[in-house]
Amino acid sequence: MAFSASSSWLALSATNAKHNPFFSVPSCIKFNAPIASQIQWHSDSYTHRNLRPLPQIKRHWVEASDQSLESPETFSVASYNILGDRNASQHSDLYVNVPSRYIKWDRRKRVISDELLGWDPDIICLQEVDKYLEVSDIMVKAGYAGSYQRRTGDSVDGCAIFWKTDKFRLLEGENIQFKDIGLRDNVAQLSVFEMCESYSRRLIVGNIHVLYNPNKGEVKLGQIRFLSSRAQYLSEKWGNIPVVLAGDFNSTPQSGIYKFLSSSELNVKLYDKKELSGQKRCRPAQVIWENKETVGPVVTQDSLLKCWTDEEIKIATGDSQRHLAVHPLKLNSSYATVNGSTSTRGFNGEPLATSYHSKFLGTVDYLWYSDGIVPTRVLDTVSISDLLREGGLPCKVGSDHLALVSEFTFSVTNNEAAPAAIVDIEEPNNQQS
């Protein structure tokens, strides 16, 4: 299947989007986006978008201490789980401490727009998007193009990427439906971008919403491992260009999955798969009072060996006879790299919390980056005390998550891209889903 830049994969205009906004495709669908087909959008109503008032929760930029490796070309990436409208309605028990007016989509859409357009990121990765047409209409008027991949199954939300058309041109993209490889209904996106004013500067941006279920650590590992391998493939194809992986990884900084991301490997037999994500230890009462139960029960090596079936090991590592899960990227977290305040950061430098509702208070969202780029600054999160004063999210922000925003620069002087292979694939049947 082939995608062209005139296809529905791009939000060409608010009018076109109503008729042909997105479509569902099998996993790992690839396409090339010819440079000549890139289109610029302008809107007088967004000329002064940086002057739009920001939400009432104040957030501050934190600069990297070492900027000696900076190059003139910088770019910024945002990751934001915007809380799907249907999810907010179906899980009202998570927002018992939040006034109902803060849950309504019309209000949250306005606040989310104010947040994103106020921070003015060059690339935006969104998760839990179930009102894509409405979001796309706003972003297109602000000078962005976008792509969307809906989750499979009964869910109506998905992942979306938007990018400034005067800053980046799309070279290639790939949509991943994990159901096609037996890894549930979650989805991910990969996009290859080139800076408009510097043809030698290219990068890959991945966007993922990892499975939520805390008991399915093997599926979470399988999804992340597959996304990483596809990102590495595209990186090599385009000349070993750098990678940014953004999203809601549904795993905490203290978890085995975080260790897998940051160290590129994990011996799964050393972990209970039901505790692999760390989510069960982040109920608000546990976090606030530092309850000793957060340490978890003592688990012997024998019991860990028995809790994994051969099929689960195969899902996690790719081979039922191999206990070591690996991924090919050397990743660092932008927030862990750029030091923040002790009131907002944990022991390993990650935010203390990127999500807060009645059953969870902790960090699950990240901006990971590979060799070839470095973060120059990040938009710091807020303190636990500030979050507790609100009683839960969304309140003065648009979601039950906080957006992450990082500015990057290229850390090498020579980033010449290799010519891309031409992929000859069929034109898809456009369909809304």
Side-chain angles (χ1 to χ4, degrees):
M1 290 180 156
F3 299 95
S4 67
S6 60
S7 75
S8 59
W9 199 84
L10 293 179
L12 297 181
S13 69
T15 302
N16 290 342
K18 291 179 181 178
H19 301 291
N20 198 15
F22 52 83
F23 50 85
S24 296
V25 294
S27 94
C28 286
I29 293 301
K30 299 179 287 185
F31 55 93
N32 291 328
I35 293 175
S37 63
Q38 296 296 323
I39 300 175
Q40 303 293 323
W41 294 270
H42 302 281
S43 173
D44 293 338
S45 63
Y46 284 89
T47 300
H48 302 290
R49 64 176 179 268
N50 286 335
L51 301 180
R52 294 163 66 94
L54 286 171
Q56 293 173 302
I57 287 185
K58 299 297 182 183
R59 298 179 62 182
H60 307 280
W61 288 98
V62 179
E63 306 286 334
S65 57
D66 181 9
Q67 300 191 7
S68 60
L69 297 177
E70 283 193 29
S71 70
E73 300 92 354
T74 63
F75 63 93
S76 53
V77 181
S79 181
Y80 200 0
N81 181 326
I82 64 171
L83 177 58
D85 183 37
R86 191 167 89 167
N87 288 342
S89 300
Q90 291 184 340
H91 301 285
S92 57
D93 58 309
L94 301 180
Y95 313 108
V96 292
N97 298 322
V98 179
S100 60
R101 67 182 182 276
Y102 289 136
I103 306 297
K104 296 183 182 300
W105 169 246
D106 286 344
R107 178 197 176 275
R108 293 199 298 110
K109 176 178 66 174
R110 177 180 58 79
V111 175
I112 290 167
S113 301
D114 287 347
E115 289 180 290
L116 291 174
L117 298 179
W119 295 321
D120 200 32
D122 299 314
I123 299 172
I124 299 172
C125 297
L126 302 180
Q127 305 88 43
E128 273 197 45
V129 182
D130 61 2
K131 301 286 187 179
Y132 177 70
L133 292 180
E134 297 180 33
V135 176
S136 177
D137 182 61
I138 294 169
M139 302 310 297
V140 166
K141 290 176 181 176
Y144 291 82
S147 69
Y148 179 71
Q149 177 60 47
R150 177 179 162 173
R151 283 203 284 169
T152 54
D154 296 330
S155 299
V156 298
D157 65 281
C159 293
I161 297 181
F162 295 94
W163 62 94
K164 287 183 180 179
T165 58
D166 62 354
K167 185 72 174 280
F168 285 101
R169 60 174 58 87
L170 178 70
L171 299 180
E172 185 178 353
E174 181 171 301
N175 292 325
I176 297 171
Q177 292 182 170
F178 289 110
K179 182 178 181 179
D180 292 344
I181 53 174
L183 293 177
R184 301 300 180 98
D185 289 316
N186 302 82
V187 296
Q189 301 170 288
L190 287 166
S191 298
V192 181
F193 293 112
E194 180 177 70
M195 298 189 79
C196 294
E197 297 182 358
S198 181
Y199 293 153
S200 66
R201 299 302 194 187
R202 295 174 177 176
L203 71 145
I204 294 166
V205 176
N207 182 25
I208 188 172
H209 191 181
V210 172
L211 177 72
Y212 166 78
N213 192 336
N215 294 323
K216 293 294 182 178
E218 75 280 9
V219 176
K220 294 173 186 277
L221 274 177
Q223 291 178 350
I224 296 169
R225 182 172 54 81
F226 187 80
L227 175 67
S228 301
S229 66
R230 296 304 305 167
Q232 176 67 13
Y233 167 79
L234 288 175
S235 174
E236 293 176 351
K237 174 181 176 180
W238 288 91
N240 295 312
I241 59 178
V243 176
V244 174
L245 295 184
D248 178 351
F249 288 79
N250 271 316
S251 304
T252 69
Q254 297 80 23
S255 69
I257 290 178
Y258 182 94
K259 182 178 180 180
F260 173 67
L261 280 157
S262 61
S263 67
S264 302
E265 64 180 34
L266 187 76
N267 186 341
V268 299
K269 281 302 187 75
L270 299 180
Y271 294 85
D272 181 342
K273 68 178 185 297
K274 295 183 179 181
E275 301 288 342
L276 202 55
S277 68
Q279 294 163 281
K280 294 182 178 180
R281 302 178 183 182
C282 288
R283 297 187 71 88
Q286 292 174 308
V287 176
I288 296 168
W289 302 108
E290 296 181 345
N291 194 315
K292 295 300 182 182
E293 292 179 3
T294 60
V295 176
V298 176
V299 182
T300 66
Q301 183 69 24
D302 287 342
S303 62
L304 287 175
L305 290 172
K306 293 176 181 178
C307 81
W308 289 86
T309 67
D310 287 347
E311 180 61 25
E312 289 166 344
I313 293 175
K314 182 178 180 180
I315 291 172
T317 70
D319 185 343
S320 62
Q321 303 302 311
R322 186 174 68 234
H323 299 164
L324 191 67
V326 298
H327 71 76
L329 300 174
K330 181 181 179 182
L331 297 173
N332 291 285
S333 165
S334 61
Y335 275 71
T337 302
V338 180
N339 295 329
S341 166
T342 55
S343 66
T344 62
R345 304 295 186 89
F347 73 95
N348 59 356
E350 294 291 355
L352 288 169
T354 64
S355 181
Y356 178 32
H357 53 65
S358 64
K359 296 182 179 180
F360 185 87
L361 175 59
T363 291
V364 291
D365 306 278
Y366 305 96
L367 283 167
W368 297 94
Y369 66 96
S370 70
D371 289 342
I373 53 177
V374 292
T376 57
R377 62 175 185 162
V378 298
L379 184 69
D380 212 359
T381 52
V382 298
S383 67
I384 295 292
S385 59
D386 286 342
L387 289 176
L388 293 178
R389 273 196 292 270
E390 302 300 333
L393 300 178
C395 51
K396 297 174 182 177
V397 297
S399 174
D400 57 354
H401 289 245
L402 297 173
L404 301 184
V405 189
S406 178
E407 181 183 84
F408 295 92
T409 186
F410 291 89
S411 59
V412 293
T413 57
N414 184 11
N415 187 31
E416 296 296 333
I422 301 299
V423 181
D424 185 15
I425 41 186
E426 298 176 359
E427 185 71 23
N429 293 322
N430 297 337
Q431 53 181 312
Q432 290 193 20
S433 56

